[in-house]
Amino acid sequence: MSTSRRPDWATIPNLVTLVRFVLLAPVCALLLDGPDTLAVVLLLAWASTDWIDGMLARALDQTSRTGEIIDPIADRLGLAAITATLAIAGLLPWTALIIIVVADVAMVLLATRAALGGRLGVSRIGKVRTVALMTSVFLLVVAAAWVPGLLGSVRVLLWISVVLHVLSAVDYIVRATRARTQSRTRERPEGGAPAGEEPPSRR
């Protein structure tokens, strides 16, 4: 099938992203039961798909609008579910979970429209946030499974990731607000009146 005829969603990177959704349930089940070697391996596989789908999209020239939408959804849904599971298991502070969830809800409410309209891309701080949060969560599970004595040190890294998560959310919302403002400005004709309305007469 040629690229011109292939549906936007029908790409190998999008298939990898779907695998991330499928892996989420068994990962959370294992973490809830108590982190062990299998939980570490599956969590690593889940986290790796975020890097693999991006690499394949660039290598195969299969970037798509569908991928731009579902990839961050998979990231946020996955991280929310995994951090919630770790909080229930007593490994992650509930305060950190609440901050992560509030930041995500704020982004959904205030920036989703601009993101779906194609006016927002992934920022550098957003990429750093994702890597830091995934790394700290993974190391938290590794420490719980193999080296419990390192849990305190890993939680320090986790809190740094939470701060980056909040900063990323603020950046995302600010850029969404600017995008909406610019869009409204472009929709106004040169007299300043909204499209479809006559400018007020001057006497």
Side-chain angles (χ1 to χ4, degrees):
M1 182 183 294
S2 66
T3 303
S4 60
R5 295 182 179 179
R6 176 179 34 106
D8 178 78
W9 54 267
T11 67
I12 294 175
N14 289 344
L15 177 60
V16 175
T17 303
L18 291 178
V19 171
R20 198 181 325 160
F21 282 106
V22 173
L23 285 175
L24 186 56
V27 167
C28 290
L30 288 171
L31 294 178
L32 194 59
D33 192 47
D36 56 12
T37 300
L38 181 56
V40 171
V41 171
L42 275 186
L43 180 59
L44 179 60
W46 175 85
S48 297
T49 59
D50 185 45
W51 172 75
I52 292 172
D53 60 8
M55 179 193 68
L56 289 175
R58 292 186 294 270
L60 301 176
D61 192 22
Q62 291 188 353
T63 57
S64 66
R65 184 65 191 134
T66 300
E68 292 175 357
I69 294 173
I70 67 173
D71 184 66
I73 291 175
D75 286 344
R76 289 189 174 87
L77 178 62
L79 283 172
I82 290 171
T83 52
T85 301
L86 291 175
I88 294 172
L91 295 174
L92 185 140
W94 280 96
T95 304
L97 173 63
I98 292 171
I99 293 173
I100 291 171
V101 171
V102 169
D104 280 341
V105 170
M107 281 191 288
V108 168
L109 294 177
L110 300 175
T112 297
R113 184 176 179 182
L116 293 178
R119 298 191 296 269
L120 289 182
V122 180
S123 65
R124 180 171 298 180
I125 188 173
K127 293 179 181 178
V128 172
R129 176 283 316 265
T130 300
V131 172
L133 198 52
M134 283 187 175
T135 301
S136 60
V137 167
F138 176 70
L139 291 178
L140 191 66
V141 174
V142 170
W146 297 334
V147 202
L150 292 179
L151 281 172
S153 300
V154 174
R155 287 192 180 109
V156 173
L157 176 61
L158 174 69
W159 279 111
I160 294 174
S161 303
V162 171
V163 172
L164 288 173
H165 187 73
V166 173
L167 292 177
S168 175
V170 171
D171 171 72
Y172 205 63
I173 292 169
V174 168
R175 289 192 296 124
T177 302
R178 288 175 179 169
R180 284 196 299 269
T181 302
Q182 291 171 358
S183 178
R184 290 169 184 167
T185 301
R186 285 194 298 267
E187 289 173 358
R188 290 176 179 269
E190 188 178 350
E197 294 184 10
E198 294 292 333
S201 61
R202 297 180 180 178
R203 295 182 180 178

